[in-house]
Amino acid sequence: MEPMIQILLINLLLSGDNAIVIAMASRNLPNEIQRKAIWWGTAGAISMRVLFTFIMIHLLKMPFIHLIGGILLVYIAYKLLVDNQENHSVKSGESLKEAVTIIVFADVIMSLDNVLALTAIADSNLPLIIVGIMLSIPIILTASELFLKIINKYPIIIFIGAGLLAWTAGEMIIKEQRIQYFFRANQISELTVLTAITVFTVLVGTIKRGRI
């Protein structure tokens, strides 16, 4: 799958929660201030994503970071399957400043998965990552709630997205130099490992999802 298509799909899957947080944080504001809160909150959230992206690109040059990032991405794929996206408890802001602050801080916590996924898929290609971040802006502002309805109607999309994230996580893990040495020494097929990670993540997440 082309990186741009992967980025678009991951943005759609991982930006839904952010859109809901923005809507809930500004829900008690007057209509004329609500729009300002949404736009300023989104601008602040996107700025933090850009900062996180630069940090992540530099971190991925350090030893074992690909391995750690891959493991985290596997967990994100698992959480995508088992989390109930309908349950959100977000404080509502009573002023423009308070609402924007809530939106930005909530997005700081929630967007790490998005940044990690984009950085992994784009293979630290900065122009491609920037395009991915820019794509997330209209998605967060307009398309996320609609897409959540589509996900509810066609749950298979969640499984495809989780599988994509798990595969990307596997690619990050096998980029780790020491892992590559191990594979070569033991003649282990990278395709087999990628398939195993993807199938295992989706299978465990599906089983857990069925129990919730």
Side-chain angles (χ1 to χ4, degrees):
M1 189 182 294
E2 290 294 323
M4 188 54 65
I5 297 175
Q6 294 182 46
I7 286 172
L8 180 60
L9 179 58
I10 292 307
N11 263 323
L12 287 169
L13 286 168
L14 296 181
S15 294
D17 282 350
N18 304 75
I20 292 172
V21 166
I22 290 172
M24 293 185 70
S26 59
R27 68 184 183 274
N28 287 338
L29 297 175
N31 290 336
E32 63 273 13
I33 300 179
Q34 201 172 62
R35 183 176 294 273
K36 291 181 180 180
I38 291 172
W39 280 98
W40 280 109
T42 301
I46 294 300
S47 299
M48 294 305 296
R49 289 189 186 201
V50 172
L51 176 62
F52 283 150
T53 298
F54 278 103
I55 294 172
M56 194 68 68
I57 289 174
H58 289 291
L59 283 177
L60 287 175
K61 297 176 182 178
M62 298 173 62
F64 295 110
I65 292 296
H66 278 95
L67 176 60
I68 295 169
I71 293 171
L72 287 174
L73 209 52
V74 167
Y75 179 69
I76 291 168
Y78 168 78
K79 291 288 285 180
L80 180 63
L81 282 171
V82 303
D83 276 356
N84 183 357
Q85 295 188 8
E86 295 179 356
N87 294 327
H88 292 85
S89 178
V90 180
K91 184 179 183 294
S92 175
E94 302 299 331
S95 67
L96 176 61
K97 181 179 179 181
E98 186 179 358
V100 170
T101 301
I102 292 169
I103 290 168
V104 172
F105 275 96
D107 194 85
V108 164
I109 297 170
M110 295 170 61
S111 65
L112 289 175
D113 55 356
N114 191 285
V115 170
L116 180 58
L118 288 180
T119 306
I121 292 170
D123 196 20
S124 298
N125 183 323
L126 187 57
L128 194 55
I129 293 171
I130 291 174
V131 170
I133 293 174
M134 296 302 293
L135 278 174
S136 68
I137 297 175
I139 292 171
I140 291 173
L141 288 174
T142 61
S144 295
E145 290 186 28
L146 173 62
F147 195 75
L148 283 172
K149 293 178 182 178
I150 297 174
I151 289 176
N152 290 332
K153 189 174 182 180
Y154 303 105
I156 187 66
I157 297 174
I158 296 176
F159 295 89
I160 294 172
L164 173 61
L165 280 176
W167 185 276
T168 303
E171 289 181 329
M172 283 191 72
I173 291 171
I174 63 178
K175 282 179 183 175
E176 184 63 47
Q177 194 172 31
R178 291 162 182 79
I179 299 294
Q180 289 183 349
Y181 289 153
F182 177 78
F183 283 174
R184 290 169 189 161
N186 294 276
Q187 296 183 334
I188 299 174
S189 168
E190 292 184 356
L191 179 60
T192 301
V193 174
L194 289 174
T195 304
I197 290 173
T198 303
V199 171
F200 178 77
T201 304
V202 174
L203 182 61
V204 172
T206 301
I207 294 172
K208 180 68 174 178
R209 183 185 181 90
R211 293 176 180 173
I212 296 177

